Amino acid sequence: MEQSVCKTYKPAGKPAVEKQRVAYLHSLQILDSDFDYQFERVTLTAAIALNTPMALVTLVDSDRQWFKSAQGLSVRETSRDLSFCSHIVMNNEPLIVPDASADERFSSNPMVTDPTGPKIRSYCGAPLMVRKDGEDLVLGTFCVIDSKPRAFAEHEIQVVMSMAEEVALMLNASQPRIGEHQTGVIEQEKDSRESNSVNPPTQNPEPGPRPVRLNDNRGVKVSIEDSIKFKQLRNQVGFEEAVEWLKREMIRS
């Protein structure tokens, strides 16, 4: 996708704590790390529960936005100047855009207008915020995106905000795992599941996002294997059919 900025589009500004924010983000050594299925499960859960084709964990660097996890996008980064998420970094508050083509802040953004891009129409995102030396630092966002206009309901916005809080905690808690070879991660989690099936834990439930609800009021819990299969199916048959397959799998389980 062409990444030059449209002349009439005005990117978001940068917060007063930009220097501290970027320095702390770099200190986490997360940027350009491998995909991690802890984060993949969160974005996949959000895409299914909120029925959106895109769900992202986005980290905003000095001049780019980089995706720690991305459902529905094939790229790992784009220019910060094109970023909806940079508005959240600037203002440290959720951003809800029901129709980007009718919003003067975004209507000329190439992410909205470029036919080869994601063609964003609606966006709901919340900040990934940490507290450092008395300052609130927004490292990026958790967001869901749709390719058609959409008025997000209050409970859907609350789900996104809750997941953003979880992801902010995960970014700190999972630092030793970030960048690990994913085969090793999968084998460790497989061993853990097999151990738990023999000796089920009596406390300290498995860490992860709070369950959110589908229309049939079933809790969403996506396994590593299901996440991998979902991505394969999404590429082969499309998002909607892949979601229907995953719902059937959860009902059977």
Side-chain angles (χ1 to χ4, degrees), residues 12-24:
K14 296 184 177 181
V17 294
E18 175 70 3
K19 183 177 179 179
Q20 302 95 304
R21 189 192 70 79
V22 172
Y24 185 70

Side-chain angles (χ1 to χ4, degrees), residues 25-44:
L25 176 60
H26 287 184
S27 75
L28 296 178
Q29 299 182 351
I30 294 173
L31 295 170
D32 301 311
S33 59
D34 290 340
F35 279 120
D36 188 311
Y37 281 97
Q38 290 187 103
F39 296 91
E40 293 291 285
R41 283 182 292 202
V42 179
T43 52
L44 179 56

Side-chain angles (χ1 to χ4, degrees), residues 25 32 55 74 80 98 114 125 132 134 143 164 208 223 241 244 250:
L25 176 60
D32 301 311
S74 59
R80 179 172 175 172
D114 189 340
K132 176 69 172 176
C143 66
S223 71
E241 289 191 36
E244 291 304 315
M250 288 189 293

Side-chain angles (χ1 to χ4, degrees), residues 3 30 34 37 57 65 67 125 138 159-160 175 225 232 250:
Q3 302 237 329
I30 294 173
D34 290 340
Y37 281 97
V57 172
Q65 61 174 0
F67 308 120
V138 180
V159 166
V160 170
Q175 284 184 59
E225 291 81 3
Q232 293 172 342
M250 288 189 293

Side-chain angles (χ1 to χ4, degrees), residues 24 37 41 45 56 85 87 119 135 164 195 221 223 244:
Y24 185 70
Y37 281 97
R41 283 182 292 202
T45 295
L56 313 172
C85 300
H87 289 260
K119 294 178 281 189
E135 298 282 1
S195 174
K221 188 68 174 180
S223 71
E244 291 304 315

Side-chain angles (χ1 to χ4, degrees), residues 134-221:
E135 298 282 1
D136 291 337
L137 307 178
V138 180
L139 304 182
T141 73
F142 180 83
C143 66
V144 294
I145 299 170
D146 208 329
S147 54
K148 59 182 181 293
R150 173 173 176 171
F152 289 95
E154 182 61 31
H155 74 276
E156 294 174 323
I157 297 170
Q158 291 300 319
V159 166
V160 170
M161 292 174 65
S162 176
M163 287 187 158
E165 292 175 0
E166 292 289 349
V167 170
L169 292 173
M170 290 165 62
L171 286 171
N172 284 324
S174 64
Q175 284 184 59
R177 287 185 47 163
I178 290 174
E180 285 186 25
H181 193 284
Q182 287 305 311
T183 301
V185 173
I186 292 173
E187 289 302 318
Q188 290 169 18
E189 295 206 22
K190 179 180 178 182
D191 291 343
S192 175
R193 287 195 304 274
E194 290 174 350
S195 174
N196 287 341
S197 67
V198 177
N199 300 299
T202 56
Q203 57 183 358
N204 298 328
E206 180 184 350
R210 299 181 184 92
V212 294
R213 299 290 174 180
L214 293 168
N215 292 335
D216 60 1
N217 293 322
R218 295 180 60 85
V220 175
K221 188 68 174 180

